[in-house]
mmCIF file of all heavy atoms in Angstrom:
data_model
loop_
_atom_site.group_PDB
_atom_site.id
_atom_site.type_symbol
_atom_site.label_atom_id
_atom_site.label_comp_id
_atom_site.label_asym_id
_atom_site.label_seq_id
_atom_site.Cartn_x
_atom_site.Cartn_y
_atom_site.Cartn_z
ATOM 1 N N PRO A 71 111.359 84.455 97.536
ATOM 2 C CA PRO A 71 110.881 85.596 96.775
ATOM 3 C C PRO A 71 111.576 85.965 95.507
ATOM 4 O O PRO A 71 111.054 86.573 94.567
ATOM 5 C CB PRO A 71 110.991 86.816 97.812
ATOM 6 C CG PRO A 71 111.983 86.273 98.765
ATOM 7 C CD PRO A 71 111.759 84.838 98.878
ATOM 8 N N ASP A 72 112.828 85.535 95.407
ATOM 9 C CA ASP A 72 113.659 85.821 94.230
ATOM 10 C C ASP A 72 113.245 84.903 93.051
ATOM 11 O O ASP A 72 113.801 85.052 91.937
ATOM 12 C CB ASP A 72 115.127 85.612 94.562
ATOM 13 C CG ASP A 72 115.460 84.261 95.224
ATOM 14 O OD1 ASP A 72 114.559 83.758 95.856
ATOM 15 O OD2 ASP A 72 116.636 83.867 95.123
ATOM 16 N N TRP A 73 112.297 83.951 93.235
ATOM 17 C CA TRP A 73 111.761 83.165 92.201
ATOM 18 C C TRP A 73 110.687 83.884 91.413
ATOM 19 O O TRP A 73 110.135 83.272 90.482
ATOM 20 C CB TRP A 73 111.245 81.801 92.686
ATOM 21 C CG TRP A 73 112.342 80.908 93.142
ATOM 22 C CD1 TRP A 73 113.722 81.128 93.124
ATOM 23 C CD2 TRP A 73 112.230 79.547 93.756
ATOM 24 N NE1 TRP A 73 114.376 80.025 93.635
ATOM 25 C CE2 TRP A 73 113.464 79.078 93.978
ATOM 26 C CE3 TRP A 73 111.040 78.798 93.973
ATOM 27 C CZ2 TRP A 73 113.668 77.738 94.516
ATOM 28 C CZ3 TRP A 73 111.286 77.494 94.468
ATOM 29 C CH2 TRP A 73 112.538 77.067 94.797
ATOM 30 N N PHE A 74 110.390 85.093 91.842
ATOM 31 C CA PHE A 74 109.306 85.836 91.199
ATOM 32 C C PHE A 74 109.768 87.230 90.803
ATOM 33 O O PHE A 74 110.856 87.694 91.261
ATOM 34 C CB PHE A 74 108.093 85.961 92.191
ATOM 35 C CG PHE A 74 107.565 84.588 92.603
ATOM 36 C CD1 PHE A 74 108.136 83.960 93.745
ATOM 37 C CD2 PHE A 74 106.652 83.973 91.933
ATOM 38 C CE1 PHE A 74 107.678 82.720 94.159
ATOM 39 C CE2 PHE A 74 106.148 82.691 92.306
ATOM 40 C CZ PHE A 74 106.730 82.093 93.425
ATOM 41 N N LYS A 75 108.940 87.928 89.917
ATOM 42 C CA LYS A 75 109.306 89.235 89.571
ATOM 43 C C LYS A 75 108.601 90.251 90.409
ATOM 44 O O LYS A 75 107.377 90.134 90.622
ATOM 45 C CB LYS A 75 108.974 89.480 88.146
ATOM 46 C CG LYS A 75 109.825 88.630 87.158
ATOM 47 C CD LYS A 75 109.460 88.977 85.714
ATOM 48 C CE LYS A 75 110.450 88.240 84.774
ATOM 49 N NZ LYS A 75 110.169 88.546 83.298
ATOM 50 N N TRP A 76 109.318 91.256 90.908
ATOM 51 C CA TRP A 76 108.693 92.290 91.764
ATOM 52 C C TRP A 76 108.834 93.628 91.025
ATOM 53 O O TRP A 76 109.833 93.960 90.491
ATOM 54 C CB TRP A 76 109.517 92.369 93.151
ATOM 55 C CG TRP A 76 109.356 91.067 93.868
ATOM 56 C CD1 TRP A 76 110.097 89.866 93.712
ATOM 57 C CD2 TRP A 76 108.366 90.769 94.752
ATOM 58 N NE1 TRP A 76 109.594 88.897 94.526
ATOM 59 C CE2 TRP A 76 108.638 89.443 95.221
ATOM 60 C CE3 TRP A 76 107.251 91.448 95.396
ATOM 61 C CZ2 TRP A 76 107.718 88.768 96.171
ATOM 62 C CZ3 TRP A 76 106.436 90.810 96.302
ATOM 63 C CH2 TRP A 76 106.712 89.497 96.707
ATOM 64 N N ARG A 77 107.724 94.387 91.147
ATOM 65 C CA ARG A 77 107.622 95.655 90.423
ATOM 66 C C ARG A 77 108.193 96.815 91.202
ATOM 67 O O ARG A 77 108.298 96.573 92.577
ATOM 68 C CB ARG A 77 106.119 95.886 89.985
ATOM 69 C CG ARG A 77 105.704 94.808 89.076
ATOM 70 C CD ARG A 77 104.290 95.030 88.534
ATOM 71 N NE ARG A 77 103.250 95.059 89.587
ATOM 72 C CZ ARG A 77 101.906 95.148 89.315
ATOM 73 N NH1 ARG A 77 101.525 95.222 88.071
ATOM 74 N NH2 ARG A 77 101.069 95.148 90.339
ATOM 75 N N PRO A 78 108.424 97.946 90.682
ATOM 76 C CA PRO A 78 108.972 99.026 91.537
ATOM 77 C C PRO A 78 108.181 99.471 92.641
ATOM 78 O O PRO A 78 108.683 100.034 93.645
ATOM 79 C CB PRO A 78 109.122 100.187 90.482
ATOM 80 C CG PRO A 78 109.253 99.503 89.125
ATOM 81 C CD PRO A 78 108.407 98.284 89.257
ATOM 82 N N ASP A 79 106.822 99.213 92.606
ATOM 83 C CA ASP A 79 105.963 99.647 93.699
ATOM 84 C C ASP A 79 105.918 98.596 94.844
ATOM 85 O O ASP A 79 105.156 98.783 95.816
ATOM 86 C CB ASP A 79 104.525 99.912 93.247
ATOM 87 C CG ASP A 79 103.855 98.740 92.653
ATOM 88 O OD1 ASP A 79 104.530 97.691 92.514
ATOM 89 O OD2 ASP A 79 102.674 98.822 92.307
ATOM 90 N N GLY A 80 106.748 97.560 94.803
ATOM 91 C CA GLY A 80 106.845 96.571 95.799
ATOM 92 C C GLY A 80 105.828 95.445 95.600
ATOM 93 O O GLY A 80 105.829 94.543 96.441
ATOM 94 N N THR A 81 105.074 95.447 94.602
ATOM 95 C CA THR A 81 104.109 94.379 94.380
ATOM 96 C C THR A 81 104.693 93.374 93.460
ATOM 97 O O THR A 81 105.574 93.669 92.697
ATOM 98 C CB THR A 81 102.743 94.924 93.757
ATOM 99 O OG1 THR A 81 103.029 95.560 92.482
ATOM 100 C CG2 THR A 81 102.099 95.850 94.633
ATOM 101 N N VAL A 82 104.132 92.164 93.515
ATOM 102 C CA VAL A 82 104.726 91.091 92.660
ATOM 103 C C VAL A 82 103.991 91.064 91.364
ATOM 104 O O VAL A 82 102.764 91.368 91.247
ATOM 105 C CB VAL A 82 104.536 89.667 93.368
ATOM 106 C CG1 VAL A 82 103.066 89.338 93.606
ATOM 107 C CG2 VAL A 82 105.259 88.636 92.668
ATOM 108 N N GLN A 83 104.668 90.740 90.280
ATOM 109 C CA GLN A 83 104.073 90.753 88.907
ATOM 110 C C GLN A 83 103.191 89.490 88.753
ATOM 111 O O GLN A 83 103.600 88.296 88.929
ATOM 112 C CB GLN A 83 105.189 90.653 87.899
ATOM 113 C CG GLN A 83 104.734 90.580 86.447
ATOM 114 C CD GLN A 83 103.968 91.788 86.041
ATOM 115 O OE1 GLN A 83 104.426 92.919 86.140
ATOM 116 N NE2 GLN A 83 102.781 91.650 85.664
ATOM 117 N N TYR A 84 101.873 89.766 88.482
ATOM 118 C CA TYR A 84 100.978 88.590 88.190
ATOM 119 C C TYR A 84 100.954 88.368 86.648
ATOM 120 O O TYR A 84 101.519 89.108 85.903
ATOM 121 C CB TYR A 84 99.590 88.908 88.723
ATOM 122 C CG TYR A 84 98.910 90.202 88.266
ATOM 123 C CD1 TYR A 84 98.423 90.287 86.996
ATOM 124 C CD2 TYR A 84 98.858 91.302 89.129
ATOM 125 C CE1 TYR A 84 97.839 91.528 86.469
ATOM 126 C CE2 TYR A 84 98.304 92.500 88.669
ATOM 127 C CZ TYR A 84 97.790 92.588 87.352
ATOM 128 O OH TYR A 84 97.178 93.711 86.942
ATOM 129 N N ALA A 85 100.372 87.270 86.242
ATOM 130 C CA ALA A 85 100.332 86.857 84.914
ATOM 131 C C ALA A 85 99.383 87.754 84.092
ATOM 132 O O ALA A 85 98.252 88.140 84.605
ATOM 133 C CB ALA A 85 99.895 85.414 84.827
ATOM 134 N N GLU A 86 99.729 88.042 82.863
ATOM 135 C CA GLU A 86 98.860 88.772 81.973
ATOM 136 C C GLU A 86 98.996 88.276 80.522
ATOM 137 O O GLU A 86 99.990 87.729 80.106
ATOM 138 C CB GLU A 86 99.351 90.263 81.989
ATOM 139 C CG GLU A 86 99.217 91.042 83.284
ATOM 140 C CD GLU A 86 99.501 92.486 83.124
ATOM 141 O OE1 GLU A 86 98.702 93.276 82.758
ATOM 142 O OE2 GLU A 86 100.758 92.807 83.449
ATOM 143 N N ASN A 87 97.882 88.369 79.890
ATOM 144 C CA ASN A 87 97.833 88.083 78.407
ATOM 145 C C ASN A 87 96.895 89.200 77.887
ATOM 146 O O ASN A 87 95.674 88.850 77.628
ATOM 147 C CB ASN A 87 97.323 86.707 78.170
ATOM 148 C CG ASN A 87 97.391 86.293 76.644
ATOM 149 O OD1 ASN A 87 97.983 86.985 75.902
ATOM 150 N ND2 ASN A 87 96.655 85.260 76.258
ATOM 151 N N PRO A 88 97.354 90.362 77.706
ATOM 152 C CA PRO A 88 96.441 91.571 77.471
ATOM 153 C C PRO A 88 95.466 91.233 76.328
ATOM 154 O O PRO A 88 95.895 90.577 75.316
ATOM 155 C CB PRO A 88 97.450 92.650 77.051
ATOM 156 C CG PRO A 88 98.693 92.275 77.784
ATOM 157 C CD PRO A 88 98.741 90.762 77.802
ATOM 158 N N PRO A 89 94.190 91.522 76.525
ATOM 159 C CA PRO A 89 93.648 92.355 77.710
ATOM 160 C C PRO A 89 93.386 91.530 78.959
ATOM 161 O O PRO A 89 92.915 92.095 79.964
ATOM 162 C CB PRO A 89 92.399 92.984 77.058
ATOM 163 C CG PRO A 89 91.936 91.928 76.177
ATOM 164 C CD PRO A 89 93.172 91.353 75.561
ATOM 165 N N LYS A 90 93.620 90.214 78.925
ATOM 166 C CA LYS A 90 93.321 89.413 80.102
ATOM 167 C C LYS A 90 94.353 89.613 81.187
ATOM 168 O O LYS A 90 95.534 89.790 80.947
ATOM 169 C CB LYS A 90 93.271 87.924 79.702
ATOM 170 C CG LYS A 90 92.160 87.596 78.779
ATOM 171 C CD LYS A 90 92.149 86.036 78.433
ATOM 172 C CE LYS A 90 91.048 85.618 77.498
ATOM 173 N NZ LYS A 90 91.065 84.158 77.209
ATOM 174 N N LYS A 91 93.846 89.656 82.432
ATOM 175 C CA LYS A 91 94.639 89.760 83.567
ATOM 176 C C LYS A 91 94.435 88.610 84.494
ATOM 177 O O LYS A 91 93.251 88.182 84.685
ATOM 178 C CB LYS A 91 94.467 91.114 84.300
ATOM 179 C CG LYS A 91 94.870 92.304 83.494
ATOM 180 C CD LYS A 91 94.633 93.584 84.306
ATOM 181 C CE LYS A 91 95.101 94.734 83.452
ATOM 182 N NZ LYS A 91 94.937 96.066 84.248
ATOM 183 N N TYR A 92 95.464 87.956 85.107
ATOM 184 C CA TYR A 92 95.328 86.847 86.039
ATOM 185 C C TYR A 92 95.891 87.246 87.311
ATOM 186 O O TYR A 92 96.986 86.865 87.718
ATOM 187 C CB TYR A 92 96.069 85.627 85.429
ATOM 188 C CG TYR A 92 95.586 85.264 84.050
ATOM 189 C CD1 TYR A 92 96.162 85.721 82.898
ATOM 190 C CD2 TYR A 92 94.356 84.430 83.906
ATOM 191 C CE1 TYR A 92 95.657 85.333 81.644
ATOM 192 C CE2 TYR A 92 93.957 84.078 82.624
ATOM 193 C CZ TYR A 92 94.580 84.546 81.491
ATOM 194 O OH TYR A 92 94.109 84.162 80.245
ATOM 195 N N GLN A 93 95.174 88.098 88.090
ATOM 196 C CA GLN A 93 95.670 88.593 89.304
ATOM 197 C C GLN A 93 95.916 87.548 90.350
ATOM 198 O O GLN A 93 96.757 87.736 91.263
ATOM 199 C CB GLN A 93 94.707 89.674 89.860
ATOM 200 C CG GLN A 93 94.610 90.941 89.022
ATOM 201 C CD GLN A 93 93.414 90.826 88.008
ATOM 202 O OE1 GLN A 93 93.023 89.667 87.649
ATOM 203 N NE2 GLN A 93 92.903 91.946 87.534
ATOM 204 N N ASP A 94 95.294 86.436 90.191
ATOM 205 C CA ASP A 94 95.438 85.312 91.194
ATOM 206 C C ASP A 94 96.541 84.353 90.827
ATOM 207 O O ASP A 94 96.769 83.354 91.556
ATOM 208 C CB ASP A 94 94.137 84.519 91.280
ATOM 209 C CG ASP A 94 93.660 83.971 89.934
ATOM 210 O OD1 ASP A 94 94.084 84.565 88.860
ATOM 211 O OD2 ASP A 94 92.913 83.001 89.923
ATOM 212 N N VAL A 95 97.308 84.653 89.787
ATOM 213 C CA VAL A 95 98.401 83.734 89.372
ATOM 214 C C VAL A 95 99.665 84.525 89.189
ATOM 215 O O VAL A 95 99.765 85.531 88.517
ATOM 216 C CB VAL A 95 98.045 83.109 88.011
ATOM 217 C CG1 VAL A 95 99.209 82.252 87.478
ATOM 218 C CG2 VAL A 95 96.807 82.161 88.142
ATOM 219 N N LEU A 96 100.774 83.994 89.776
ATOM 220 C CA LEU A 96 102.167 84.579 89.635
ATOM 221 C C LEU A 96 102.993 83.664 88.787
ATOM 222 O O LEU A 96 103.211 82.451 89.097
ATOM 223 C CB LEU A 96 102.761 84.768 91.046
ATOM 224 C CG LEU A 96 101.942 85.400 92.103
ATOM 225 C CD1 LEU A 96 102.757 85.625 93.359
ATOM 226 C CD2 LEU A 96 101.522 86.912 91.594
ATOM 227 N N PRO A 97 103.533 84.199 87.699
ATOM 228 C CA PRO A 97 104.475 83.429 86.943
ATOM 229 C C PRO A 97 105.820 83.296 87.657
ATOM 230 O O PRO A 97 106.192 84.244 88.387
ATOM 231 C CB PRO A 97 104.601 84.129 85.590
ATOM 232 C CG PRO A 97 104.264 85.594 86.015
ATOM 233 C CD PRO A 97 103.340 85.496 87.096
ATOM 234 N N VAL A 98 106.541 82.170 87.371
ATOM 235 C CA VAL A 98 107.803 82.000 88.018
ATOM 236 C C VAL A 98 108.890 82.707 87.192
ATOM 237 O O VAL A 98 108.799 82.768 85.892
ATOM 238 C CB VAL A 98 108.150 80.530 88.128
ATOM 239 C CG1 VAL A 98 109.651 80.303 88.584
ATOM 240 C CG2 VAL A 98 107.203 79.913 89.175
ATOM 241 N N ASN A 99 109.844 83.368 87.815
ATOM 242 C CA ASN A 99 110.920 84.027 87.105
ATOM 243 C C ASN A 99 112.074 83.107 86.862
ATOM 244 O O ASN A 99 112.904 82.840 87.804
ATOM 245 C CB ASN A 99 111.417 85.248 87.936
ATOM 246 C CG ASN A 99 112.613 85.983 87.295
ATOM 247 O OD1 ASN A 99 112.774 85.854 86.151
ATOM 248 N ND2 ASN A 99 113.326 86.679 88.138
ATOM 249 N N PHE A 100 112.194 82.627 85.663
ATOM 250 C CA PHE A 100 113.273 81.695 85.313
ATOM 251 C C PHE A 100 114.676 82.357 85.064
ATOM 252 O O PHE A 100 115.570 81.678 84.933
ATOM 253 C CB PHE A 100 112.838 80.887 84.037
ATOM 254 C CG PHE A 100 112.027 79.708 84.339
ATOM 255 C CD1 PHE A 100 110.596 79.893 84.444
ATOM 256 C CD2 PHE A 100 112.505 78.443 84.658
ATOM 257 C CE1 PHE A 100 109.825 78.712 84.786
ATOM 258 C CE2 PHE A 100 111.788 77.353 84.914
ATOM 259 C CZ PHE A 100 110.364 77.452 85.042
ATOM 260 N N GLU A 101 114.681 83.651 85.156
ATOM 261 C CA GLU A 101 115.986 84.400 85.056
ATOM 262 C C GLU A 101 116.505 84.698 86.452
ATOM 263 O O GLU A 101 117.476 85.447 86.567
ATOM 264 C CB GLU A 101 115.797 85.673 84.210
ATOM 265 C CG GLU A 101 115.482 85.366 82.760
ATOM 266 C CD GLU A 101 115.343 86.584 81.929
ATOM 267 O OE1 GLU A 101 115.342 87.761 82.487
ATOM 268 O OE2 GLU A 101 115.345 86.487 80.689
ATOM 269 N N THR A 102 115.912 84.072 87.488
ATOM 270 C CA THR A 102 116.521 84.249 88.813
ATOM 271 C C THR A 102 117.915 83.729 88.896
ATOM 272 O O THR A 102 118.199 82.746 88.204
ATOM 273 C CB THR A 102 115.615 83.581 89.866
ATOM 274 O OG1 THR A 102 116.329 83.717 91.110
ATOM 275 C CG2 THR A 102 115.437 82.121 89.516
ATOM 276 N N GLU A 103 118.709 84.435 89.700
ATOM 277 C CA GLU A 103 120.157 83.876 89.913
ATOM 278 C C GLU A 103 120.106 82.596 90.626
ATOM 279 O O GLU A 103 121.038 81.760 90.665
ATOM 280 C CB GLU A 103 120.856 84.910 90.680
ATOM 281 C CG GLU A 103 121.212 86.218 89.935
ATOM 282 C CD GLU A 103 122.060 87.202 90.762
ATOM 283 O OE1 GLU A 103 122.497 86.816 91.780
ATOM 284 O OE2 GLU A 103 122.266 88.280 90.099
ATOM 285 N N ASP A 104 119.011 82.209 91.307
ATOM 286 C CA ASP A 104 118.862 80.975 92.014
ATOM 287 C C ASP A 104 118.211 79.844 91.131
ATOM 288 O O ASP A 104 117.540 79.041 91.564
ATOM 289 C CB ASP A 104 117.992 81.208 93.266
ATOM 290 C CG ASP A 104 118.080 80.040 94.253
ATOM 291 O OD1 ASP A 104 119.144 79.407 94.354
ATOM 292 O OD2 ASP A 104 117.022 79.799 94.908
ATOM 293 N N TRP A 105 118.465 79.960 89.818
ATOM 294 C CA TRP A 105 117.769 79.106 88.897
ATOM 295 C C TRP A 105 118.010 77.632 89.128
ATOM 296 O O TRP A 105 117.150 76.818 88.915
ATOM 297 C CB TRP A 105 118.085 79.466 87.433
ATOM 298 C CG TRP A 105 119.484 79.371 87.070
ATOM 299 C CD1 TRP A 105 120.536 80.230 87.186
ATOM 300 C CD2 TRP A 105 120.123 78.130 86.530
ATOM 301 N NE1 TRP A 105 121.671 79.679 86.681
ATOM 302 C CE2 TRP A 105 121.514 78.413 86.288
ATOM 303 C CE3 TRP A 105 119.674 76.872 86.138
ATOM 304 C CZ2 TRP A 105 122.363 77.459 85.773
ATOM 305 C CZ3 TRP A 105 120.482 75.903 85.613
ATOM 306 C CH2 TRP A 105 121.872 76.231 85.455
ATOM 307 N N GLU A 106 119.225 77.267 89.540
ATOM 308 C CA GLU A 106 119.508 75.899 89.755
ATOM 309 C C GLU A 106 118.727 75.253 90.872
ATOM 310 O O GLU A 106 118.099 74.178 90.723
ATOM 311 C CB GLU A 106 120.970 75.639 90.136
ATOM 312 C CG GLU A 106 121.945 75.998 88.912
ATOM 313 C CD GLU A 106 123.389 75.761 89.341
ATOM 314 O OE1 GLU A 106 123.861 74.638 89.126
ATOM 315 O OE2 GLU A 106 124.006 76.758 89.746
ATOM 316 N N ASN A 107 118.472 75.969 91.962
ATOM 317 C CA ASN A 107 117.578 75.445 93.036
ATOM 318 C C ASN A 107 116.125 75.427 92.574
ATOM 319 O O ASN A 107 115.379 74.578 92.932
ATOM 320 C CB ASN A 107 117.776 76.319 94.363
ATOM 321 C CG ASN A 107 119.050 76.051 94.979
ATOM 322 O OD1 ASN A 107 119.536 74.917 95.060
ATOM 323 N ND2 ASN A 107 119.605 77.145 95.610
ATOM 324 N N LEU A 108 115.740 76.452 91.820
ATOM 325 C CA LEU A 108 114.444 76.476 91.250
ATOM 326 C C LEU A 108 114.164 75.237 90.349
ATOM 327 O O LEU A 108 113.197 74.512 90.491
ATOM 328 C CB LEU A 108 114.132 77.740 90.384
ATOM 329 C CG LEU A 108 112.935 77.773 89.614
ATOM 330 C CD1 LEU A 108 111.686 77.807 90.502
ATOM 331 C CD2 LEU A 108 112.907 79.038 88.705
ATOM 332 N N TRP A 109 115.134 74.943 89.412
ATOM 333 C CA TRP A 109 114.951 73.803 88.593
ATOM 334 C C TRP A 109 114.808 72.430 89.394
ATOM 335 O O TRP A 109 113.920 71.641 89.118
ATOM 336 C CB TRP A 109 116.137 73.677 87.674
ATOM 337 C CG TRP A 109 116.171 74.596 86.490
ATOM 338 C CD1 TRP A 109 115.605 75.844 86.490
ATOM 339 C CD2 TRP A 109 116.792 74.420 85.265
ATOM 340 N NE1 TRP A 109 115.824 76.399 85.275
ATOM 341 C CE2 TRP A 109 116.567 75.568 84.515
ATOM 342 C CE3 TRP A 109 117.634 73.479 84.780
ATOM 343 C CZ2 TRP A 109 117.118 75.801 83.194
ATOM 344 C CZ3 TRP A 109 118.262 73.643 83.519
ATOM 345 C CH2 TRP A 109 117.942 74.764 82.717
ATOM 346 N N GLN A 110 115.683 72.340 90.398
ATOM 347 C CA GLN A 110 115.641 71.113 91.203
ATOM 348 C C GLN A 110 114.305 71.022 91.989
ATOM 349 O O GLN A 110 113.784 69.909 92.125
ATOM 350 C CB GLN A 110 116.818 71.130 92.173
ATOM 351 C CG GLN A 110 118.184 70.920 91.547
ATOM 352 C CD GLN A 110 118.437 69.573 90.893
ATOM 353 O OE1 GLN A 110 117.613 68.574 91.142
ATOM 354 N NE2 GLN A 110 119.431 69.391 90.129
ATOM 355 N N GLU A 111 113.819 72.093 92.401
ATOM 356 C CA GLU A 111 112.555 72.033 93.175
ATOM 357 C C GLU A 111 111.422 71.690 92.207
ATOM 358 O O GLU A 111 110.533 70.833 92.556
ATOM 359 C CB GLU A 111 112.231 73.334 93.814
ATOM 360 C CG GLU A 111 110.917 73.495 94.560
ATOM 361 C CD GLU A 111 110.723 72.457 95.652
ATOM 362 O OE1 GLU A 111 111.759 71.984 96.142
ATOM 363 O OE2 GLU A 111 109.551 72.231 96.022
#
């Protein structure tokens, strides 16, 4: 779960390109502290 961005309301941040919304797609959070494992995966 730390590979993704979570909003204050407990929902995960989906992809957006306003005004377009991509509720079915979650971008990966490359600023995660677990970035090394993310990169390797």
Side-chain angles (χ1 to χ4, degrees):
D72 49 336
W73 289 0
F74 302 89
K75 289 184 178 180
W76 297 86
R77 300 187 295 188
D79 63 356
T81 60
V82 65
Q83 177 65 57
Y84 55 77
E86 294 184 87
N87 184 15
K90 293 182 180 180
K91 295 182 178 182
Y92 303 93
Q93 295 91 337
D94 57 338
V95 172
L96 308 182
V98 170
N99 176 23
F100 276 88
E101 293 184 347
T102 174
E103 292 183 3
D104 193 33
W105 64 269
E106 290 181 88
N107 288 324
L108 170 63
W109 283 26
Q110 290 292 348
E111 175 62 19

